[in-house]
Amino acid sequence: MKVGIDAISFYTPAMYLSMEQLAKARNEDPNKYLIGIGQQEQSVVPNTQDVVTMAANAAEQIINDDNRAKIDLVIFGTESGIDNSKSAAIYLQTLLELSPRTRAFETKQACYGATAGLQMARDYVQLHPDKQALVIGADVARYGLNTPGEVTQGGGAVAMIVSANPRIISFDGNSAFYSKDIMDFWRPLHTTEAIVDGHYSNDVYVNFFKETWNQYQQITDLSIADLSAMIFHLPYPKMGIKGLRAVLPEATPDKQAELKTAFSFGSMYNKRVGNLYTGSLYLSLLSLIDNDDHLKVGDTVGLFSYGSGAQGEFFTGQVEAGFFDANRKQRMQTMLNSRRQLSVPEYESIFNSWPKIKAGDLILSVSDDDAKFVFAGVKDDQRQYLNRK
Ligand code: COA
């Protein structure tokens, strides 16, 4: 029996910053950001969205009466969680009105959390084929104004339904993983911004990719010739290109061209949204299945997941018959194209309005945010979420 992703959806807030404008404001050559980093735009997250509301705004697009009756597992991958104890999954379960007879919890290992959730969900559904799981990757990527990491910020949420006989992509359970205690990126409890050693992180990422890809080939006898696409965790598109380049010499010239083309289709959305942390690999999957017209049913796609700190995993999926959905693609285009472009001062002011880690009530004005689910503030140390439609 096949198990994998039956439905996938995405939400990002309705504002973005042009990387060309940011480069000019930071006295950098725009080509450094556009070509050197590979980023064109970056979603900007207002203080009325957090990982819970973004996940709800993504997931409500794919929750229906049929899967609502079958979902009894909700796994929420995030590294920008909103409570040190209570999981974002419980808030989400309530907002989406899912059954209380559900296992709902959060997973954390930097940008790897959603992959941990997806693999757990796959194994669970393999054992219980009449059940389904909702897996989330939602994050707000913040490094700080005027920092080297600023160009790799962003935010949003990917939601995935994992089921038997999936319409989009199936996973056979083979996987290669590798972990090691490394300080390339982390976020201490006192701050909302990450600490990163970006150049070191690049090296570790490529090494973990090569390690897991080699391990995977030994486990499965697959080679690069068997893959129609390789997609990557993409904090920014250039990082994935570095991974791909490391293994391209294993491929024939034709296969190299095919993988490079697939990579560019698979990074189209990421170039416009920026870093999603846990959701980045799955936004790349969405970008690939929406945009790559060479992709066919039965093709094998390689996926590399990476979470700083660090955990890497390589696995493959087989493209299933319902992978392309014109309505889903249309919805995605509309969401990205209708975002409002911010000036750099507007972006800076929104960035600085992000709630600080401190005690006390907080009342936020939600009138400028058109999303269905919004974060309205904090009362008596409890977060206030609204479902407005
Ligand atoms: N035209 C084209 N390319 C240019 C350029 C120009 N005018 N100027 C610079 N570049 C290229 C550089 O050659 C470099 O390419 P390379 O990576 O292939 O060598 C790239 O642009 C970035 O330049 P660099 O000088 O390395 O930038 P930086 O020191 O400002 O740092 C990051 C860039 C990505 C390391 C930094 O933004 C960062 O740390 N981001 C966070 C990354 C992260 O989150 N990692 C952990 C998660 S997995």
Side-chain angles (χ1 to χ4, degrees):
M1 184 194 55
K2 288 182 173 181
V3 176
I5 301 172
D6 188 59
I8 183 166
S9 59
F10 175 68
Y11 172 82
T12 196
M15 299 181 290
Y16 77 96
L17 178 65
S18 141
M19 290 302 94
E20 191 173 350
Q21 287 199 1
L22 181 66
K24 286 179 181 154
R26 301 294 180 247
N27 293 317
E28 295 279 8
D29 179 348
N31 282 339
K32 173 174 174 185
Y33 289 5
L34 300 172
I35 300 168
I37 300 288
Q39 200 64 47
Q40 291 165 354
E41 297 169 356
Q42 176 178 108
S43 281
V44 177
V45 184
N47 57 18
T48 48
Q49 291 293 320
D50 67 7
V51 292
V52 171
T53 57
M54 292 195 296
N57 287 315
E60 63 106 16
Q61 301 168 36
I62 50 172
I63 298 286
N64 54 42
D65 288 347
D66 179 50
N67 58 34
R68 192 188 295 279
K70 294 177 184 150
I71 292 170
D72 67 353
L73 176 64
V74 178
I75 309 182
F76 199 121
T78 186
E79 54 180 303
S80 34
I82 41 77
D83 192 285
N84 286 327
S85 167
K86 183 169 172 170
S87 87
I90 299 280
Y91 289 105
L92 182 67
Q93 176 203 17
T94 307
L95 289 174
L96 296 174
E97 297 173 6
L98 297 175
S99 165
R101 293 191 176 179
T102 296
R103 284 188 177 128
F105 55 92
E106 206 170 284
T107 52
K108 180 173 70 180
Q109 176 27 56
C111 303
Y112 173 76
T115 299
L118 179 65
Q119 297 292 16
M120 278 188 228
R122 196 211 76 89
D123 291 353
Y124 175 71
V125 173
Q126 192 80 50
L127 269 179
H128 306 278
D130 53 328
K131 301 295 185 193
Q132 298 192 0
L134 173 63
V135 177
I136 301 291
D139 273 299
V140 185
R142 289 172 61 89
Y143 292 84
L145 303 179
N146 288 294
T147 61
E150 186 177 29
V151 61
T152 64
Q153 296 180 143
V158 175
M160 299 176 275
I161 304 285
V162 176
S163 78
N165 305 315
R167 283 172 293 179
I168 296 179
I169 191 165
S170 58
F171 305 109
D172 65 7
N174 283 318
S175 204
F177 28 85
Y178 188 75
S179 58
K180 204 168 176 187
D181 188 355
I182 276 164
M183 296 306 280
D184 60 333
F185 170 111
W186 65 104
R187 187 169 62 83
L189 290 174
H190 62 80
T191 173
T192 54
E193 282 80 56
I195 299 174
V196 62
D197 184 343
H199 294 107
Y200 178 47
S201 191
N202 261 297
D203 295 343
V204 178
Y205 173 99
V206 172
N207 287 338
F208 273 46
F209 170 54
K210 288 195 290 195
E211 165 69 36
T212 52
W213 165 235
N214 289 337
Q215 212 191 104
Y216 189 82
Q217 291 180 91
Q218 286 162 18
I219 296 168
T220 62
D221 283 338
L222 238 74
S223 80
I224 202 160
D226 299 306
L227 303 183
S228 301
M230 260 196 190
I231 56 172
F232 292 80
H233 166 53
L234 292 180
Y236 55 100
K238 183 65 161 297
M239 205 148 164
I241 292 172
K242 288 183 182 180
L244 185 61
R245 277 185 192 153
V247 296
L248 277 182
E250 297 171 25
T252 62
D254 282 356
K255 183 54 79 177
Q256 291 192 14
E258 184 187 346
L259 293 176
K260 282 196 230 167
T261 306
F263 179 87
S264 63
F265 284 119
S267 51
M268 280 170 68
Y269 292 159
N270 304 70
K271 276 174 187 277
R272 298 191 61 189
V273 172
N275 200 351
L276 284 186
Y277 291 163
T278 48
S280 291
L281 171 62
Y282 302 99
L283 181 63
S284 178
L285 175 65
L286 185 56
S287 191
L288 182 80
I289 60 176
D290 274 5
N291 298 301
D292 187 350
D293 356 334
H294 308 91
L295 204 64
K296 304 182 301 304
V297 176
D299 278 355
T300 302
V301 176
L303 297 92
F304 176 60
S305 179
Y306 177 77
S308 292
Q311 173 73 54
E313 179 156 345
F314 185 88
F315 56 111
T316 64
Q318 195 176 49
V319 175
E320 297 295 337
F323 76 93
F324 183 74
D325 176 345
N327 291 333
R328 183 187 64 213
K329 181 174 176 175
Q330 181 60 49
R331 226 176 25 231
M332 188 71 188
Q333 308 284 357
T334 307
M335 184 190 304
L336 293 179
N337 294 340
S338 60
R339 290 175 304 166
R340 182 168 78 83
Q341 183 174 346
L342 299 174
S343 67
V344 174
E346 277 179 305
Y347 143 73
E348 289 176 341
S349 145
I350 291 166
F351 188 92
N352 286 330
S353 72
W354 193 250
K356 302 272 178 291
I357 298 177
K358 63 171 191 183
D361 286 358
L362 173 70
I363 299 172
L364 296 171
S365 165
V366 295
S367 56
D368 287 342
D369 189 335
D370 286 339
K372 179 172 177 180
F373 298 99
V374 291
F375 170 53
V378 178
K379 188 166 187 315
D380 300 331
D381 278 328
Q382 296 179 23
R383 295 178 80 84
Q384 308 295 309
Y385 291 112
L386 305 180
N387 173 353
R388 300 186 299 179
K389 286 172 197 158

